[in-house]
């Protein structure tokens, strides 16, 4: 059990460092989701299921969805149709 806690703590540190070093916003959101899930598992191991459920629901769920919607609104994530339209426009030039 202690080994699992150490692995989770190491993954939290790795996720925190990699989010700060990542230049791609979408990658940062996915790493943030992994951080929240690792934190939820850690809360379970610390025998605090109410915090684990809250972290999983809010941290990995709702917040990540809001980040994805925000990235979509600021056009950081392109849809497949927009990407194909851009490719066609570039090939015409």
């Amino acid at each position: 059990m202690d080994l699992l806690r150490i692995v989770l703590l190491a993954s939290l540190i790795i996720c925190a460092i990699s989010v700060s070093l990542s230049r791609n916003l979408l990658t940062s959101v996915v790493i943030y989701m992994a951080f929240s899930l690792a934190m939820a598992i850690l809360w379970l191991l610390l025998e605090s299921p109410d915090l684990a459920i809250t972290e999983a629901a809010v941290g990995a769920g709702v917040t990540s969805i809001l980040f994805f919607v925000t990235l979509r609104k600021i056009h950081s994530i392109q849809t497949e149709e927009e990407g194909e339209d851009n490719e066609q426009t570039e090939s015409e030039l």
Side-chain angles (χ1 to χ4, degrees):
M1 196 60 95
D2 288 334
L3 180 63
L4 183 59
R5 287 182 185 173
I6 292 170
V7 169
L8 284 171
L9 287 173
S11 68
L12 288 176
I13 293 169
I14 290 170
C15 285
I17 292 171
S18 61
V19 162
S20 64
L21 297 177
S22 177
R23 296 199 181 268
N24 188 355
L25 293 176
L26 183 60
T27 304
S28 296
V29 172
V30 172
I31 295 170
Y32 172 76
M33 287 175 56
F35 181 89
S36 294
L37 289 176
M39 195 67 208
I41 294 169
L42 194 59
W43 283 124
L44 274 176
L45 291 177
L46 294 172
E47 298 177 2
S48 183
D50 53 341
L51 287 175
I53 292 170
T54 303
E55 180 69 33
V58 175
V62 176
T63 306
S64 299
I65 290 171
L66 290 175
F67 280 147
F68 284 127
V69 169
T70 302
L71 289 177
R72 178 77 187 263
K73 292 284 184 184
I74 64 171
H75 303 294
S76 181
I77 300 175
Q78 292 184 352
T79 61
E80 291 181 18
E81 295 173 5
E82 291 174 358
E84 291 173 0
D85 291 341
N86 290 340
E87 290 175 4
Q88 291 175 354
T89 306
E90 290 174 1
S91 64
E92 291 174 2
L93 297 174

